[in-house]
Amino acid sequence: MEELLEMELSHPHYDVVVIGGGAAGLICAGTAAKRGLKVLIIEKNSKCARKVMITGKGRCNITNRCTIDEFLENVTKNPRFLYAALSELDPESTVSFFNSLGVETKTERGRRVFPVSDRAEDIVRALVGACKEIGVNICYERVTSLRIENGELLGLNTEKNSYDADAVIICTGGKSYPRTGSDGDGYRFARQAGHTVTELRPSLVPIVAGGNLCQRMQGLSLKNVSLTAKRASKIVYEDFGEMLFTHFGISGPLVISASSYYAHKKCKNDDN
């Protein structure tokens, strides 16, 4: 009877549990498994990498074929924070990584790298397949909380189960696209673990415009156009590419890139 009770109270144990089955979570889990660790991915959606599936208009812009310094020059806030990560996996290494998974790639205008097939699902299939092949377990549940006692991480709880873990890695993304799973859960887990979360601001997003001019032109897509963004009459962004009009304003690669230059300060009275 005591042995039976102990079995009922025990939880599945993993060396590493990764919260989030997006691109970061899948690569993280696969890397850990290659080192001989027992790894579990917990993804709250019914499928992994839902946001990857819609990136680049469903084509998935994998990376940009540039140097680390060029990459960092285009990061608008605290670029040096990314230096260590890029030193481990720079753009060329990223291309080689996907090639090693059987994904053929091509480089287009602006040195943007896409799968030759133009299908984001090929990227997802390659990442999920690589994880499963190396023994990563994937379960589709929603994590509710970390299990921390006396300052020690013991594991985590989901809506259905509890899991013991030596390490938990948060790969939930930010709060940019709730319908794909990026709804801010990761910030809650980080706070629970004692981390400080700074004020959240949007970045790499479409821009809302006043009036009805954009709404009247909804659906109009422009190619090979120049876009200039200003703050207090000073040009903060200038580039050439694609944009489109929507029911609320403007969007497209140019606009989304420009938006990052307005993300770190309130822009109510800024020039547009």
Side-chain angles (χ1 to χ4, degrees), residues 62-183:
I62 298 168
T63 187
N64 187 281
R65 219 153 197 163
C66 62
T67 66
I68 293 177
D69 288 339
E70 288 174 317
F71 189 102
L72 294 176
E73 286 172 3
N74 289 278
V75 178
T76 60
K77 185 177 181 182
N78 194 17
R80 304 308 297 179
F81 175 78
L82 296 173
Y83 191 84
L86 288 170
S87 296
E88 292 292 327
L89 190 69
D90 63 14
E92 284 301 323
S93 298
T94 301
V95 174
S96 297
F97 170 74
F98 282 104
N99 291 163
S100 74
L101 297 183
V103 179
E104 293 184 65
T105 56
K106 60 181 178 179
T107 304
E108 297 187 355
R109 180 183 54 79
R111 295 183 286 183
R112 297 172 298 163
V113 181
F114 293 90
V116 168
S117 65
D118 283 331
R119 297 189 306 179
E121 63 189 272
D122 289 347
I123 298 296
V124 176
R125 188 181 298 112
L127 290 173
V128 173
C131 281
K132 290 183 176 179
E133 185 177 345
I134 203 169
V136 174
N137 291 324
I138 304 176
C139 73
Y140 299 94
E141 302 173 13
R142 186 185 185 96
V143 176
T144 56
S145 63
L146 304 179
R147 287 185 16 243
I148 301 174
E149 294 181 12
N150 300 320
E152 180 182 0
L153 174 72
L154 301 179
L156 51 75
N157 301 312
T158 71
E159 291 176 333
K160 300 178 180 178
N161 299 295
S162 291
Y163 297 90
D164 292 337
D166 296 332
V168 173
I169 303 176
I170 301 171
C171 292
T172 57
K175 201 175 181 179
S176 60
Y177 211 130
R179 284 188 295 175
T180 66
S182 296
D183 59 4

Side-chain angles (χ1 to χ4, degrees), residues 203-239:
S203 184
L204 298 179
V205 292
I207 293 178
V208 176
N212 65 354
L213 179 61
C214 291
Q215 187 177 23
R216 288 164 53 196
M217 294 190 289
Q218 177 182 348
L220 175 62
S221 179
L222 303 176
K223 295 184 177 181
N224 301 322
V225 296
S226 176
L227 175 69
T228 300
K230 296 181 179 180
R231 178 189 291 281
S233 300
K234 179 181 178 181
I235 295 176
V236 294
Y237 176 85
E238 225 175 354
D239 205 354

